[in-house]
């Protein structure tokens, strides 16, 4: 007999974890709805033709691929096998597992664009799968929570995202966080003014690591990648310690004054800052971070990233504006902006900082102890009355020893137990035990329900 | 450019469908919680060693199998490929997709039995995947909603399941339904009294089709399977038209009087009926159906099935008691009973009978129309105040033509639009348009929020 096990990088969520996870999901969902986003769910299985080529070469490798059902070898020749697994894969696997929520969303928009109302605002809370090497805080199956608006390039959308992030983290009691914001156009402007307009990707892959490896290593990498000393020298303002947003804006306008696209980026962010203030939100938790690049490849405007303070955990949210997400499916020039929240990391932050509210367990409020058949018969209609009054209630299914039943209530965190023995049946005065204080009191059936409902 | 498409048998759920589906999920979840069940989620990916052999040979074929990541051909020889796809599969695929919620639950119980509080009551609402041929009402990716109690053989659990089913369908306004109930022991008793104790499986596979093919075809099939004419003759009481539950019970006691196991089954169901009545639930919607067999292979006690009236849709719920579910994972004799609800069929029933409540859409309640920058600036703080008052609200992101904005509100079913032009800003009297009646009224900002919150 083999002991059953879970695949690496996957997890079961038992009752206690589920309650905490649902608290996070509910808070996010409620906020998304309050801002006019509507729910969408896409299937776990997508055609690999939809997924492949959208996440870079590494992403293609990390996609979980599903073996065609039936005889998948039917049309396979020995020669196909000899060509190696990469060429064989598309011949025996047509489908894969959802890798993120963005590409399926783009597919959905393209397939349904005739019926959708634009600007289309949707949210999506679903698991995704990546064949990454599992490690602490990195799973192969994990949830993403995304909200996107497509069909408008209005900066109001960016403003709304910043407001939503504030509301979500307030709802979760995560009060120490920083929303880092940049703009792809600023990054392009920097590339322009230091004279490496064609080498943006290499530049920003290196800069993105600044936090982790420091200035010297970044400069080393840039040099290896062929940036001239002159270019690297011109890059120095990027390494200036961050002070206030106002100062960063001023320095940036000075630095990028000869780059049209760079100045456009600055202007967009100044508008964003102004709208955020107009909304009544202080910019204390917002930081203009010109070293923020994130999946630079498809962002075209604002770039967002959120870090929680007081913990050593990576970013808990990220997103940005993209202008060509649906282009891969034949619909160009549909601008959108979105934000993605990492539930698993948010969970870890809240655990570490002990931010989960107490008494959140979805549990029974009232347990009817079970002494004998007579008590059971007496309890059954009462049990239903309690439930009809909205009280989560259960009757212990067997007439076991009272200690065992109280232990059950204790372990399940049930706050009240009602004891119904022959004496209680005769008098109509039931014994209600408060499991928190240990106190017992006599109550009638009616009073019991009034008390707990 | 390839047009994107969905894999056969999978679906997107857009905003309107999501709202309806969530109404079903919420009703089921709330009821499960009221009866003391706690949430559990297991991963989509399970090891195939856990799944294979649990669903019969057909089930093994219908499992979606996930190709090992990396070079899955690494240790594969030409000889392995020549042995055919069935033998090759386990060498290139270690993981599969969840096929139902029962086997992962059994695995979870076995892996966590040291920490769980028994009797353990859990519910689970998650999708499952089957490589079945897609057809109307049958999908390859669909949701199941299960509630199970393990660790007790008390008939109170069966009673609770019947009560829960009543509450769930009442909550969904499905008032015309029948809960068919049988007991595996009665089926064994019937096999005993007609003298085919060893041939139960064949007998009940045939009987299960009675509804569809009629008595003659069933008798034909039984004859082909080697039942003697004498046995088939003794089976006649089974074909008697069903009248009242009381009469069925009486006839059954007469018929099975010489079968100990059969009489045990009758006695269990009589107890169940008594407890249901004691709970205050009428047996009008409950039918003792001795031809009900369902996945006979693992049920050992009560068997349940629910059909909705007024529609031609298969069963919307099914379940039963099992005594050996965890035996496959090395833990024998853990008795449990469970019920599974088919969300997709329930959805179809409710659509066909038009049972979904109106105005359930999760949508914006108030749209701020956007005329110009001044109006936008005026609206932003007000927008946040509305949200702080709990009103789902949005500001149209662009100063488009009013017609376009009203059309947006209309299509998104937003009931109120507030118009803020230069006149409104000057006077502080905003124009509130009721999209249902078309009426307009003047309100102050404070009155607007009071009115809608």
């Amino acid at each position: 007999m083999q002991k059953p096990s879970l695949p690496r990088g996957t997890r079961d969520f038992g009752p206690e974890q589920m309650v905490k996870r649902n608290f996070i999901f509910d808070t996010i969902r409620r906020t998304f709805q309050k801002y006019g986003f509507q729910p969408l769910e896409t299937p776990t299985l997508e055609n690999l033709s939809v997924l492949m080529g959208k996440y870079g070469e590494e992403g293609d490798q990390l996609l979980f691929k599903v073996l065609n059902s039936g005889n998948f070898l039917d049309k396979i020749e020995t020669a196909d096998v000899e060509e190696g697994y990469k060429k064989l894969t598309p011949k025996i696997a047509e489908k894969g597992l959802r890798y993120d929520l963005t590409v399926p969303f783009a597919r959905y928009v393209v397939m349904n664009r005739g019926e959708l109302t634009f600007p289309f605002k949707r949210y999506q809370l679903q698991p995704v799968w990546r064949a990454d090497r599992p490690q602490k805080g990195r799973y192969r199956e994990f949830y993403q929570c995304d909200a996107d608006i497509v069909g408008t390039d209005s900066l109001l959308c960016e403003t709304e995202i910043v407001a939503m992030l504030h509301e979500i983290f307030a709802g979760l009691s995560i009060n120490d966080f920083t929303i880092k914001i940049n703009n792809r156009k600023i990054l392009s402007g920097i590339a322009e003014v230091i004279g490496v307009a064609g080498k943006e990707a290499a530049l920003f892959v290196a800069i993105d690591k600044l936090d982790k490896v420091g200035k010297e290593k970044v400069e080393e990498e840039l040099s290896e990648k062929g940036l001239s000393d002159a270019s690297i020298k011109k890059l120095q303002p990027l390494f200036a310690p961050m002070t206030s947003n106002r100062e960063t804006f001023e320095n940036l306008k000075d630095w990028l004054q000869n780059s049209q696209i760079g100045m456009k980026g600055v202007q967009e962010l100044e508008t964003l800052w102004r709208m955020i203030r107009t909304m009544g939100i202080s910019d204390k938790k917002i930081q203009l971070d010109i070293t923020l690049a994130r999946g630079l490849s498809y962002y075209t405007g604002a770039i967002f990233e959120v870090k929680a303070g007081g913990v050593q955990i990576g970013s808990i949210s990220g997103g940005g504006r993209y202008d060509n997400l649906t282009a891969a499916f034949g619909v160009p020039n549909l601008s959108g902006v979105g934000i993605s929240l990492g539930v698993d990391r948010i969970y870890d932050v809240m655990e570490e900082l002990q931010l989960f509210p107490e008494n959140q367990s979805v549990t029974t409020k009232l347990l009817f102890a079970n002494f004998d058949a007579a008590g059971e018969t007496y309890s059954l209609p009462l049990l239903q009355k309690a439930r009809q009054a909205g009280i989560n209630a259960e009757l212990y299914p067997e007439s076991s020893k009272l200690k065992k039943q109280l232990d059950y209530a204790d372990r399940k965190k049930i706050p009240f137990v009602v004891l119904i023995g022959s004496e209680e049946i005769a008098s109509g005065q039931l014994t209600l035990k408060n499991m928190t204080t240990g106190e017992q009191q006599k109550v009638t059936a009616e009073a019991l329900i009034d008390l707990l409902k």
Side-chain angles (χ1 to χ4, degrees), chain A:
Chain A
M1 184 71 57
Q2 209 196 341
K3 265 193 167 175
S5 64
L6 280 176
R8 285 194 314 141
T10 71
R11 299 158 291 167
D12 288 318
F13 299 111
E16 283 191 37
Q17 291 153 301
M18 280 298 292
V19 168
K20 289 176 178 175
R21 289 173 67 83
N22 283 336
F23 175 73
I24 299 175
F25 286 126
D26 290 344
T27 305
I28 294 173
R29 196 183 284 120
R30 204 170 46 239
T31 308
F32 284 166
Q33 288 175 4
K34 202 186 269 186
Y35 282 71
F37 291 80
Q38 294 184 306
L40 171 70
E41 276 187 19
T42 62
T44 294
L45 293 172
E46 290 275 359
N47 287 321
L48 282 172
S49 57
V50 163
L51 301 178
M52 295 286 282
K54 308 301 189 300
Y55 307 105
E57 203 174 323
E58 200 201 343
D60 283 352
Q61 287 299 309
L62 298 184
L63 282 166
F64 278 112
K65 297 163 190 91
V66 174
L67 210 47
N68 294 343
S69 45
N71 183 3
F72 57 87
L73 288 179
D74 195 21
K75 287 169 186 160
I76 302 299
E77 312 283 336
T78 314
D80 294 311
V81 178
E82 281 163 359
E83 288 203 296
Y85 80 100
K86 285 195 188 182
K87 289 208 168 165
L88 182 61
T89 303
K91 294 175 183 156
I92 63 173
E94 283 171 5
K95 291 178 289 291
L97 303 190
R98 185 173 51 230
Y99 182 88
D100 73 355
L101 303 180
T102 311
V103 168
F105 171 57
R107 176 196 51 69
Y108 174 81
V109 168
V110 168
M111 287 176 68
N112 297 276
R113 64 191 185 283
E115 286 99 63
L116 296 179
T117 311
F118 290 99
F120 181 58
K121 300 168 83 170
R122 83 84 175 81
Y123 70 84
Q124 199 168 346
L125 279 67
Q126 290 193 277
V128 299
W129 292 264
R130 295 181 187 177
D132 239 324
R133 189 195 304 268
Q135 58 184 54
K136 189 177 178 306
R138 192 202 281 160
Y139 305 100
R140 293 185 143 191
E141 177 171 342
F142 58 98
Y143 268 80
Q144 290 193 337
C145 297
D146 281 24
D148 287 81
I149 313 168
V150 290
T152 172
D153 59 6
S154 165
L155 289 168
L156 177 66
C157 307
E158 278 83 344
T159 315
E160 293 278 71
I161 283 176
V162 172
M164 278 206 295
L165 288 169
H166 275 81
E167 187 156 336
I168 288 168
F169 293 123
L172 297 173
S173 302
I174 299 177
N175 295 315
D176 183 4
F177 65 88
T178 304
I179 304 176
K180 298 182 175 193
I181 305 182
N182 199 5
N183 191 304
R184 166 66 189 266
K185 299 186 179 83
I186 290 175
L187 294 175
S188 300
I190 293 173
E192 203 172 87
V193 296
I194 69 167
V196 294
K199 287 178 179 159
E200 283 171 54
L203 175 62
F204 296 109
V205 165
I207 288 177
D208 225 10
K209 298 177 194 157
L210 184 59
D211 250 14
K212 282 177 201 148
V213 301
K215 180 187 164 187
E216 275 67 36
K217 292 271 180 200
V218 169
E219 291 184 338
E220 240 170 65
E221 186 178 327
L222 289 173
S223 188
E224 275 163 26
K225 281 186 179 158
L227 261 73
S228 69
D229 288 352
S231 286
I232 292 175
K233 200 173 167 210
K234 283 189 190 157
L235 197 57
Q236 294 310 308
L238 190 84
F239 302 119
M242 285 189 221
T243 52
S244 67
N245 289 323
R246 179 183 301 260
E247 208 168 308
T248 310
F249 269 120
E250 292 313 315
N251 294 340
L252 206 49
K253 280 193 270 190
D254 195 43
W255 190 22
L256 302 185
Q257 57 184 292
N258 294 322
S259 162
Q260 202 183 345
I261 188 161
M263 289 306 282
K264 177 87 166 57
V266 175
Q267 189 196 11
E268 283 184 12
L269 290 193
E270 283 190 321
T271 305
L272 174 58
W273 248 257
R274 199 193 65 237
M275 291 175 92
I276 291 168
R277 272 197 309 268
T278 307
M279 262 196 167
I281 296 169
S282 114
D283 77 341
K284 270 197 310 191
K285 289 173 176 165
I286 306 168
Q287 185 182 49
L288 171 56
D289 181 352
I290 58 173
T291 67
L292 178 67
R294 284 186 72 86
L296 179 85
S297 50
Y298 66 79
Y299 292 127
T300 53
I303 304 174
F304 301 108
E305 188 170 277
V306 184
K307 292 234 177 193
V311 285
Q312 289 299 321
I313 289 172
S315 65
I316 53 178
S317 178
R321 178 169 289 279
Y322 42 82
D323 283 338
N324 283 304
L325 206 62
T326 54
F329 301 120
V331 178
N333 300 324
L334 197 58
S335 188
V337 58
I339 192 77
S340 180
L341 290 138
V343 177
D344 295 281
R345 285 193 178 164
I346 291 174
Y347 185 100
D348 291 345
V349 168
M350 292 181 65
E351 267 304 34
E352 196 167 327
L353 301 178
Q354 300 189 305
L355 298 179
F356 283 109
E358 304 230 351
N359 305 317
Q360 276 285 318
S361 69
V362 175
T363 195
T364 302
K365 191 165 187 187
L366 175 63
L367 176 72
F368 287 76
N370 190 334
F371 294 117
D372 51 24
E376 198 174 280
T377 301
Y378 188 93
S379 299
L380 279 174
L382 205 49
L383 174 65
Q384 286 310 92
K385 271 191 197 133
R387 287 169 177 163
Q388 279 152 18
I391 302 165
N392 292 1
E394 53 182 307
L395 167 57
Y396 196 83
E398 295 168 356
S399 49
S400 311
K401 282 186 182 149
L402 182 59
K403 188 185 170 313
K404 191 176 170 191
Q405 300 188 41
L406 291 179
D407 190 50
Y408 174 85
D410 222 37
R411 294 188 59 178
K412 217 171 158 179
K413 294 184 183 155
I414 299 176
F416 295 98
V417 179
V418 61
L419 312 169
I420 306 182
S422 54
E423 207 175 290
E424 280 84 1
I425 294 177
S427 68
Q429 291 287 322
L430 316 180
T431 304
L432 179 64
K433 187 178 173 74
N434 181 323
M435 294 295 290
T436 319
T437 63
E439 279 168 26
Q440 296 196 170
Q441 66 179 115
K442 293 282 185 185
V443 287
T444 63
E446 290 72 34
L448 172 72
I449 287 169
D450 277 348
L451 209 66
L452 299 187
K453 85 175 170 192

